[in-house]
Amino acid sequence: MKPLLLTGIEPFLEHRHNPTEQIVMELDEETIGGFEIISRVLPVDYERAAEMLIEYVEQCEPFAVIMLGLAANRTKITPERIAINVNDSVEDNAGHAPEDQPIVEGGPAAYFSTLPVKKMTDALVQNGIPAEISNTAGTYLCNNVMYSVLYALEQRNLSIPAGFVHVPPTFEMTLHHSAHTGFPFTSIRDAIKIMIHTLSDLEGHAHDHSKS
Ligand code: PCA
């Protein structure tokens, strides 16, 4: 079966939970849309996250990579269209707070997601889940890992679809942040499954021996 690498991220800043961590662990080793889900959780650490992610890609040679992260101020599921070559943020969990730093010195200004973001968004809306494409993944860790993996895939000449999806906070999280709007956890999890299904009819991959 075709492996699909699904990553979540650990809690950060004032957030005591990161729903993406629980979602990916719940979906680990499940079969969804003909894919075997391989889940990993990334640290909120500029020096380790991208490196770990690229290592996971090399280890499991996935058909596709879907990275998930929390965007606490968003009210929809937002597949990211683009990642930019900048780290500029508040502190990560290790205390790094980069200002205006390139992720890759001399690297391209940006990479487009190679996931079918429009199709994913449309599928969510058709299933009654609020979703829209986002045109900025920010300049914090999520943008960093998305840019880094797309750069690494290009360097290695690998045409593995990869991209990032930000999810809104859950109901439970909004108990502590009344300004935010929460999503039921199960709806976020369903949304991830729906998006994975949209990858089923993408071109076969070298590691897919089950299809001609
Ligand atoms: N969201 C943050 C970092 C970790 C996460 O889940 C971001 O959007 O960069």
Side-chain angles (χ1 to χ4, degrees), residues 2 63 200-212:
K2 298 175 284 187
F63 173 84
S200 299
D201 40 88
L202 289 183
E203 278 287 285
H205 183 265
H207 301 289
D208 174 14
H209 303 295
S210 63
K211 273 192 184 170
S212 57

Side-chain angles (χ1 to χ4, degrees), residues 100-111:
D100 257 343
Q101 283 175 6
I103 298 171
V104 176
E105 196 80 53
Y111 283 103

Side-chain angles (χ1 to χ4, degrees), residues 34-137:
F35 299 108
E36 185 202 354
I37 306 304
I38 300 177
S39 296
R40 297 286 183 267
V41 176
L42 301 174
V44 178
D45 182 339
Y46 280 108
E47 288 189 353
R48 293 166 56 225
E51 205 175 305
M52 286 170 69
L53 176 56
I54 292 161
E55 211 174 290
Y56 296 145
V57 173
E58 285 171 347
Q59 278 167 9
C60 79
E61 301 187 332
F63 173 84
V65 184
I66 300 182
M67 298 161 270
L68 305 178
L70 168 70
N73 55 359
R74 291 198 187 158
T75 54
K76 294 184 178 182
I77 307 279
T78 48
E80 298 293 346
R81 194 196 301 269
I82 193 163
I84 60 178
N85 190 12
V86 180
N87 290 329
D88 188 313
S89 74
V90 292
E91 288 193 354
D92 67 9
N93 288 350
H96 312 110
E99 256 184 71
D100 257 343
Q101 283 175 6
I103 298 171
V104 176
E105 196 80 53
Y111 283 103
F112 285 115
S113 173
T114 49
L115 294 176
V117 288
K118 198 135 244 177
K119 200 171 154 189
M120 287 159 66
T121 309
D122 289 349
L124 292 175
V125 172
Q126 275 159 21
N127 280 277
I129 297 180
E132 67 189 4
I133 293 177
S134 158
N135 292 314
T136 174

